[in-house]
């Protein structure tokens, strides 16, 4: 299974419009960050399963850049613009039939919690409350994730997805554990937790119980300074120290630090966390994500 980071930037995107800071004017490709999104691909028994996590304003550009030809399902973490305002560009995928889509034969399933579902229906009423047909309208089926859990994961083709409750300021957000059974007959997984400033112990235990091997953790880390709705770098490391993935990646990064500056800061502070220090000593890593990064189980 592969997870491709299609966007690792915060809600502005990097470069920020009209900004002349040293990050926004940087020539380093790792300092150019689309809004947060990820593309997951798994090939098993001649079946390719494709899902995306969040569809922000650049989703069309991301889909073209990463050559996405079909989708079996979409997962939306929450209803902020940088995570859902590419929804209309799902229409081309919603018209294509998928062998892996076992939920709705004629619609592309979009999974989200009940709060996100409520907001999407309101903001995209032309999709979900339409009375007249015609024109370019995505053919989507909103599916609430509250009924899915560790013992009843979302099953899309050869991929299982377990919703992870997280908190983003006042919003009830959703992270995801994406898992599959590998050749060693063990369940491998990637945890994707963007846009959060609080992860409960219950959610951390859910992540740990979801798999035999957590190969990667992708977690929100906006900047060095604290923020009211996002983890900063140190808070992200604190949660990573509890979750204990083989590899941890910081995402949703602002324009306050260049990639290499953020990377140096993370490296300098890893040894302050006992479990992360141990993981790195055994060949694991704690690093900063960037657009185009490919994570494999």
């Amino acid at each position: 299974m592969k997870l491709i980071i299609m966007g690792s930037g915060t809600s502005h995107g990097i470069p920020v419009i009209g900004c002349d800071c040293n990050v926004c004017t940087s020539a380093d490709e790792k300092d150019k960050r689309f809004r947060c999104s990820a593309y997951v691909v798994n090939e098993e028994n001649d079946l390719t399963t494709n899902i995306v996590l969040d569809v922000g304003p650049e989703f069309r550009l991301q889909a073209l850049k990463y050559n996405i030809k079909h989708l079996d399902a979409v997962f939306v973490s929450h209803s902020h613009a940088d995570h859902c305002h590419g929804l209309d560009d799902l229409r081309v995928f919603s018209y294509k039939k998928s062998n892996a889509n076992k939920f709705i034969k004629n619609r592309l399933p979009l999974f989200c919690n009940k709060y996100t579902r409520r907001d999407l229906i309101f903001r995209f009423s032309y999709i979900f409350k339409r009375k007249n047909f015609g024109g370019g309208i995505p053919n989507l089926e909103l599916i609430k994730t509250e009924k899915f859990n560790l013992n009843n994961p979302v099953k899309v083709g050869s991929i299982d997805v377990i919703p992870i409750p997280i908190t983003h300021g006042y919003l009830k957000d959703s992270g995801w554990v994406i898992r599959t059974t590998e050749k060693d007959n063990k369940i491998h997984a990637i945890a994707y937790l963007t846009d959060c400033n609080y992860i409960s112990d219950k959610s951390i235990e859910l992540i740990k119980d979801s798999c035999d091997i957590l190969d990667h953790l992708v977690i929100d880390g906006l900047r060095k300074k604290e923020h009211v709705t996002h983890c900063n770098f140190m808070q992200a490391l604190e949660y990573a120290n509890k979750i204990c993935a083989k590899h941890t990646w910081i995402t949703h990064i602002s324009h306050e630090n260049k990639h290499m500056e953020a990377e140096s800061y993370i490296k300098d502070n890893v040894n302050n966390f006992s479990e992360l220090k141990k993981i790195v000593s055994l060949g694991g890593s704690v690093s900063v994500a960037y657009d185009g990064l490919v994570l494999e189980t």
Side-chain angles (χ1 to χ4, degrees):
M1 182 171 67
K2 294 181 181 180
L3 183 147
I4 302 167
I5 300 290
M6 297 197 298
S8 59
T10 189
S11 56
H12 288 297
I14 316 295
V16 176
I17 295 170
C19 183
D20 296 321
C21 75
N22 64 344
V23 180
C24 290
T25 57
S26 170
D28 186 347
E29 285 300 312
K30 291 182 179 178
D31 290 331
K32 302 183 190 312
R33 304 170 187 142
F34 280 151
R35 267 62 79 94
C36 264
S37 182
Y39 172 42
V40 181
V41 182
N42 190 51
E43 296 182 4
E44 187 176 316
N45 299 325
D46 298 321
L47 174 65
T48 299
T49 305
N50 294 351
I51 66 173
V52 292
L53 312 177
D54 289 331
V55 283
E58 287 123 353
F59 176 66
R60 174 180 171 275
L61 298 177
Q62 292 167 327
L64 291 170
K65 182 174 181 178
Y66 297 102
N67 198 33
I68 303 177
K69 295 295 181 66
H70 83 273
L71 287 176
D72 302 303
V74 177
F75 293 79
V76 174
S77 61
H78 64 294
S79 59
H80 282 168
D82 54 321
H83 293 263
C84 70
H85 275 203
L87 210 67
D88 192 77
D89 289 320
L90 291 171
R91 66 174 108 155
V92 295
F93 299 105
S94 70
Y95 300 156
K96 296 180 180 180
K97 296 200 177 204
S98 163
N99 293 325
N101 178 358
K102 304 299 182 185
F103 288 93
I104 305 294
K105 289 183 179 180
N106 297 316
R107 294 185 180 181
L108 177 65
L110 189 156
F111 295 91
C112 57
N113 67 28
K114 61 184 180 182
Y115 308 104
T116 303
R117 183 180 185 274
R118 175 200 62 201
D119 289 349
L120 293 181
I121 290 172
F122 176 76
R123 296 179 191 181
F124 296 90
S125 60
Y126 75 97
I127 297 174
F128 302 113
K129 291 184 177 180
R130 65 185 186 271
K131 295 181 179 179
N132 298 315
F133 291 89
I137 299 173
N139 195 19
L140 306 175
E141 179 71 12
L142 286 176
I143 302 175
K144 290 187 287 188
T145 52
E146 278 75 11
K147 65 181 178 180
F148 299 101
N149 52 49
L150 184 63
N151 298 316
N152 179 37
V154 180
K155 290 186 174 292
V156 184
S158 56
I159 293 174
D160 286 355
V161 182
I162 300 166
I164 306 296
I166 54 180
T167 302
H168 177 34
Y170 65 89
L171 281 180
K172 301 299 183 182
D173 202 340
S174 297
W176 317 102
V177 167
I178 308 102
R179 69 183 191 183
T180 186
T181 302
E182 299 288 341
K183 293 178 181 178
D184 57 9
N185 290 320
K186 292 185 177 181
I187 298 173
H188 288 248
I190 299 172
Y192 187 85
L193 311 174
T194 189
D195 285 50
C196 60
N197 64 326
Y198 176 72
I199 307 169
S200 70
D201 289 342
K202 184 177 180 180
S203 288
I204 290 171
E205 287 305 310
L206 178 57
I207 294 168
K208 290 185 170 185
D209 291 342
S210 67
C211 60
D212 298 312
I213 300 172
L214 185 62
D215 290 290
H216 300 278
L217 165 65
V218 182
I219 186 167
D220 183 13
L222 185 70
R223 60 191 188 188
K224 294 178 185 178
K225 294 186 297 184
E226 289 190 6
H227 191 274
V228 293
T229 63
H230 290 275
C231 289
N232 65 1
F233 293 157
M234 292 298 286
Q235 291 165 330
L237 291 178
E238 288 173 7
Y239 284 122
N241 191 61
K242 295 179 180 180
I243 294 170
C244 296
K246 288 174 65 178
H247 303 282
T248 294
W249 305 91
I250 308 298
T251 195
H252 209 290
I253 306 156
S254 77
H255 68 143
E256 295 188 21
N257 295 102
K258 288 186 175 183
H259 177 86
M260 292 307 300
E261 292 170 351
E263 187 80 2
S264 295
Y265 183 86
I266 297 300
K267 300 297 184 190
D268 289 344
N269 284 283
V270 163
N271 288 338
N272 295 326
F273 300 91
S274 59
E275 293 302 319
L276 293 181
K277 182 178 179 180
K278 186 188 305 181
I279 288 167
V280 171
S281 72
L282 295 173
S285 64
V286 183
S287 299
V288 178
Y290 54 88
D291 292 18
L293 174 66
V294 179
L295 309 181
E296 297 189 49
T297 59

